[in-house]
Amino acid sequence: MADPEAFGVSDTPESQRLIVFSDGVVAIAITLLALDLPVPEGHSASELWDSFSRNGRYFLAFFISFAVIAAMWNAHHQVFRFIDRSDSAMRVLNLAWLMTIVLIPFATRLLSVSKEGTTRSGHVMLFSLYAIVQMIASLLFLAMVHHADRRRLFASDTPARLRARIDRQTIGMLVGFGLSIPLLLVTNYAWLVWIIGPPLTARALRRFINS
């Protein structure tokens, strides 16, 4: 089997332009996450700490979304380093995927406004919208990978198990965010499934998707 680390990104201008553009959009999105973080107020250490504590939901939402975008970018890098050409369908799918990426900072703000006093239905709606954005992003990415495989856009030195690994990772994201939606009806801590669901699902899928 070929070693993924032994090969670099294809030098074809078409794929390079797609990678550079995608990296730029992802970089902007991940930077925008920090713009809405509240600046702590107070003069003493205790006042500053109280300010941090009161706004903890903002920082938690930031770290979750940063990790999500970083994971998506890493998966994009794993795949596109082995794509040596593109077509119109791939460009459309990639643009649609990038649209969901730039929506994540907005969806993150939705998590931040869900605070004490928000009704159960309001909490479910805001968190569900966030989860739905991530599920759409995962579906679009999965569609890109399968389209590239079907149209033979991958380079000849692509590792044989690349698609299986990406399938497990992406389905893990789908399951983690998908399961959180019904769980939100019974607990405000359903967002924990976003953290533990994807890796556990990906590991469980090794038995079924390992070719």
Side-chain angles (χ1 to χ4, degrees):
M1 183 197 309
D3 181 7
E5 298 300 326
F7 305 100
V9 178
S10 169
D11 289 330
T12 55
E14 191 174 18
S15 63
Q16 282 282 19
R17 289 183 64 189
L18 201 60
I19 292 167
V20 171
F21 178 71
S22 301
D23 284 352
V25 173
V26 171
I28 292 171
I30 210 168
T31 302
L32 289 175
L33 290 174
L35 295 184
D36 288 321
L37 289 176
V39 177
E41 298 178 350
H43 301 287
S44 66
S46 61
E47 290 176 346
L48 289 169
W49 177 250
D50 287 342
S51 180
F52 269 118
S53 299
R54 288 194 303 271
N55 294 304
R57 65 186 180 277
Y58 292 97
F59 296 101
L60 178 60
F62 166 80
F63 285 117
I64 290 174
S65 292
F66 187 96
V68 167
I69 294 179
M72 291 181 175
W73 174 83
N74 184 58
H76 191 276
H77 172 71
Q78 289 181 58
V79 170
F80 276 77
R81 67 187 301 191
F82 294 109
I83 288 181
D84 61 1
R85 62 193 184 88
S86 182
D87 60 16
S88 59
M90 175 61 80
R91 290 191 292 272
V92 170
L93 286 170
N94 193 72
L95 283 171
W97 178 76
L98 288 173
M99 181 183 67
T100 63
I101 296 297
V102 299
L103 280 175
I104 291 178
F106 168 74
T108 304
R109 291 197 294 273
L110 296 182
L111 298 185
S112 302
V113 300
S114 181
K115 52 188 175 181
E116 186 177 353
T118 302
T119 64
R120 167 69 67 180
S121 60
H123 180 86
V124 170
M125 184 187 75
L126 294 173
F127 276 63
S128 294
L129 286 174
Y130 184 89
I132 289 170
V133 169
Q134 312 308 334
M135 291 175 68
I136 293 173
S138 297
L139 285 170
L140 287 169
F141 189 74
L142 202 60
M144 278 195 291
V145 174
H146 284 254
H147 174 76
D149 188 51
R150 185 172 61 254
R151 295 298 299 271
R152 298 180 180 178
L153 305 181
F154 283 111
S156 58
D157 55 13
T158 302
R161 296 188 178 182
L162 174 66
R163 205 191 82 177
R165 183 171 71 250
I166 294 299
D167 280 355
R168 292 194 302 267
Q169 294 173 356
T170 309
I171 293 172
M173 294 280 286
L174 279 168
V175 171
F177 284 99
L179 282 179
S180 71
I181 295 176
L183 288 175
L184 284 166
L185 297 172
V186 295
T187 176
N188 288 342
Y189 294 96
W191 56 269
L192 290 171
V193 181
W194 301 344
I195 300 173
I196 63 176
L200 290 178
T201 302
R203 178 169 295 185
L205 287 173
R206 282 182 179 272
R207 179 180 299 180
F208 307 100
I209 307 176
N210 199 33
S211 59

